[in-house]
Amino acid sequence: MKETEITIYDHNIWGNMPGMSTISNRNALIGELISYHDADFVSFQECNPKTSRNGDVDIEAVLAPEYKEVKTEAGRLNFTPIFYKENRFTVIESGFFAYPGLNDLDSKSLTYAVFEENETKVRVGIISTHFWWMARGENDNLQRIDNARVLLENIKRIKDKYDIPVFAMGDLNCGFNADQGEEPYFFLKEQLLDVREIAPISTDTLTHHDYPPRNENAIYTAEGRREPVRTLDHFFVTEHKNVAIDSFEVDTSDEAYASSDHFPLIVHARVFGE
């Protein structure tokens, strides 16, 4: 039995921001966080082409040359991209799917990829996703449940085709203390494992906080930080004999706080193959 250790970093990087906001130093902070955690796979939400992918703060340039973006038909219009260490992994299959129904700029979407480790040939599936966000009533919640249904269909297709474990993570815009409620989260838990719950080393830290402030030099800081009051971000994995979860972490450092209104999630796991 071959084994490979992987680290997955997931983060809503707040690219869909109010008009007076800027990226400023935030993408640089995110790059430093990813380097610190030595992630093998990186999944983003709100990777807006007009902000997060623009100019000298372009997140793709920040992560180069160590990380390469998974190619999809969405190109640079992909708000939910996956990046990976090209020196360790090869993409076997990948794609993008904008959720039907309520959406904004097709930012509510999923990106998937099947990876093979170059040395061991062990394979794993990764999905980055972002669900509908508004909380005006039952129709918005039904839209998130439909997002969850489409996500499950894609997970099942990958799992059945390759017989591999599949990780799915992102901003589901629902969860503990969220205005949107928790029903879509529990809908997913009926068929998937919540990594936070099954990891032997874990945390109950919440994930979503107020927007970080900018100082007089337009630099984002954690000054006067207020602790998170809800969880919107979740990390799931399929039940499979070829995966073992080692830890689940929410990075609550000042650097993470200043980088976005969401804290990043970090998972360490082992994946097996013949």
Side-chain angles (χ1 to χ4, degrees):
M1 180 75 70
K2 296 179 180 179
E3 174 183 325
T4 186
E5 296 180 355
I6 61 172
T7 300
I8 309 171
Y9 177 104
D10 174 74
H11 202 177
N12 179 324
I13 58 175
W14 188 32
N16 299 350
M17 57 207 185
M20 296 302 292
S21 302
T22 66
I23 292 294
S24 185
N25 61 315
R26 292 195 291 109
N27 279 1
L29 288 173
I30 291 165
E32 292 169 6
L33 291 166
I34 291 167
S35 178
Y36 172 78
H37 289 288
D38 194 21
D40 297 296
F41 306 110
V42 177
S43 70
F44 290 141
Q45 299 85 50
E46 292 195 24
C47 191
N48 193 311
K50 293 184 178 180
T51 58
S52 300
R53 295 179 179 272
N54 190 35
D56 58 3
V57 298
D58 184 347
I59 193 65
E60 185 176 358
V62 169
L63 297 183
E66 186 169 14
Y67 294 92
K68 182 176 181 179
E69 182 174 353
V70 171
K71 292 183 179 180
T72 73
E73 54 270 38
R76 288 176 61 84
L77 298 179
N78 189 346
F79 284 69
T80 56
I82 299 170
F83 291 80
Y84 66 102
K85 284 185 176 178
E86 188 178 21
N87 66 335
R88 279 201 68 195
F89 297 91
T90 297
V91 178
I92 303 301
E93 179 185 337
S94 62
F96 169 89
F97 192 87
Y99 287 122
L102 299 173
N103 211 320
D104 42 8
L105 304 174
D106 284 343
S107 70
K108 305 307 178 283
S109 58
L110 68 83
T111 299
Y112 72 87
V114 174
F115 294 97
E116 181 178 88
E117 208 223 1
N118 296 333
E119 182 177 347
T120 64
K121 306 305 179 184
V122 170
R123 291 182 174 183
V124 64
I126 305 287
I127 298 179
S128 171
T129 192
H130 195 177
F131 285 4
W132 179 244
W133 66 282
M134 296 188 77
R136 300 166 300 187
E138 185 61 18
N139 284 342
D140 288 318
N141 198 46
L142 289 174
Q143 179 65 64
R144 277 182 288 278
I145 292 175
D146 191 62
N147 294 162
R149 178 189 59 78
V150 174
L151 174 62
L152 285 169
E153 289 174 354
N154 280 271
I155 291 172
K156 184 179 187 302
R157 183 189 64 79
I158 295 170
K159 183 181 179 182
D160 290 351
K161 181 177 179 178
Y162 295 97
D163 189 21
I164 57 173
V166 181
F167 289 89
M169 71 291 297
D171 179 358
L172 306 189
N173 274 311
C174 61
F176 175 76
N177 217 27
D179 293 340
Q180 300 94 329
E182 297 183 83
E183 189 176 353
Y185 162 77
F186 285 116
F187 179 80
L188 289 172
K189 264 192 68 173
E190 292 177 359
Q191 298 189 54
L192 302 171
L193 301 175
D194 184 342
V195 173
R196 181 195 288 263
E197 291 186 350
I198 66 173
I201 301 172
S202 190
T203 177
D204 59 1
T205 300
L206 307 182
T207 70
H208 182 251
H209 57 81
D210 290 344
Y211 293 135
R214 283 185 297 172
N215 64 20
E216 63 276 10
N217 297 315
I219 299 299
Y220 287 91
T221 74
E223 184 177 352
R225 61 180 285 171
R226 299 173 64 181
E227 295 312 301
V229 296
R230 65 186 63 85
T231 285
L232 301 179
D233 311 273
H234 303 277
F235 217 116
F236 290 100
V237 67
T238 54
E239 187 170 4
H240 199 285
K241 61 182 175 58
N242 285 348
V243 65
I245 306 300
D246 292 323
S247 65
F248 170 88
E249 175 186 353
V250 179
D251 188 330
T252 61
S253 64
D254 283 351
E255 291 78 9
Y257 187 95
S259 72
S260 175
D261 59 329
H262 293 249
F263 284 135
L265 315 181
I266 299 94
V267 166
H268 295 274
R270 285 163 290 138
V271 185
F272 310 99
E274 302 302 326

